[in-house]
Amino acid sequence: RPEEGMIAGVLTASDRCSSGEREDKSGPATIASLKDLKIITARYKVVPDDREAISETLKSWCDGNDLDMIITTGGTGFSPRDNTPEATREVVEKEVPGLSELVRAAGAKKTVKSYLSRGVSGVRKRTIIINLPGSEKAVRESLAALKDVLPHAVDVLRGGVRDCL
């Protein structure tokens, strides 16, 4: 698919949003930010902050081999129900810590609290998974920080880059 645009899935992890108690705003903000980057969102889902629900969705989406990336939002904090990084680690075959470091460093330009995010990034098969915080603002800032590296990362996974110079 190198001639096609990048395809993403957006997964929101939130007990309150999944139960209908609160409207998901970070998922739609993620989709809008991806659209600004010319990335098509093919899948979107809201799940509870449940480790198994998160990991099962990630596995299913990655194993379908139709997504270049999955952006998760929410579940990266310290509360007992924040399970997104643990669920992601269960699923990925290779971690890519630099992507999460880039997100935290970019966020730190606005607030040092960005270093409290436990989000991780990695690859399963040919899909990149990136955990972002659950706020609309953090999602927009994070994707802006990633915009220049995502096309190359996807190209590498698609086999379009043989030598990285």
Side-chain angles (χ1 to χ4, degrees):
R1 285 193 334 238
E3 68 284 348
E4 297 176 15
M6 292 182 281
I7 310 293
V10 174
L11 180 64
T12 299
S14 168
D15 287 335
R16 290 187 290 170
C17 291
S18 69
S19 71
E21 181 182 328
R22 185 176 75 192
E23 178 187 357
D24 177 27
K25 293 188 177 181
S26 63
T30 304
I31 293 167
S33 293
L34 290 170
K35 185 176 181 183
D36 290 343
L37 298 176
K38 309 281 189 267
I39 299 171
I40 299 161
T41 301
R43 297 184 188 203
Y44 165 66
K45 186 175 183 180
V46 179
V47 297
D49 285 307
D50 176 74
R51 194 168 171 163
E52 189 172 317
I54 298 165
S55 65
E56 287 304 316
T57 301
L58 293 174
K59 279 184 218 172
S60 170
W61 286 6
C62 288
D63 295 354
N65 283 324
D66 61 341
L67 300 177
D68 295 304
M69 69 189 75
I70 298 171
I71 307 297
T72 72
T73 176
T76 63
F78 291 177
S79 88
R81 292 289 294 162
D82 287 332
N83 293 301
T84 304
E86 290 74 22
T88 301
R89 280 193 181 100
E90 287 177 10
V91 169
V92 298
E93 297 160 344
K94 297 177 184 180
E95 285 199 36
V96 186
L99 295 176
S100 297
E101 291 165 12
L102 178 60
V103 166
R104 282 187 276 275
K109 292 177 183 174
K110 308 279 185 184
T111 175
V112 72
K113 293 177 185 173
S114 74
Y115 286 114
L116 297 177
S117 173
R118 299 179 315 105
V120 299
S121 300
V123 173
R124 179 181 176 94
K125 299 194 179 199
R126 292 190 178 264
T127 304
I128 303 165
I129 302 170
I130 304 171
N131 299 158
L132 299 183
S135 84
E136 296 171 72
K137 185 175 183 245
V139 161
R140 283 192 290 275
E141 291 170 357
S142 299
L143 287 170
L146 292 165
K147 72 177 179 178
D148 292 330
V149 73
L150 287 176
H152 181 71
V154 168
D155 203 22
V156 169
L157 281 177
R158 288 177 174 176
V161 177
R162 302 248 186 258
D163 297 313
C164 295
L165 303 175

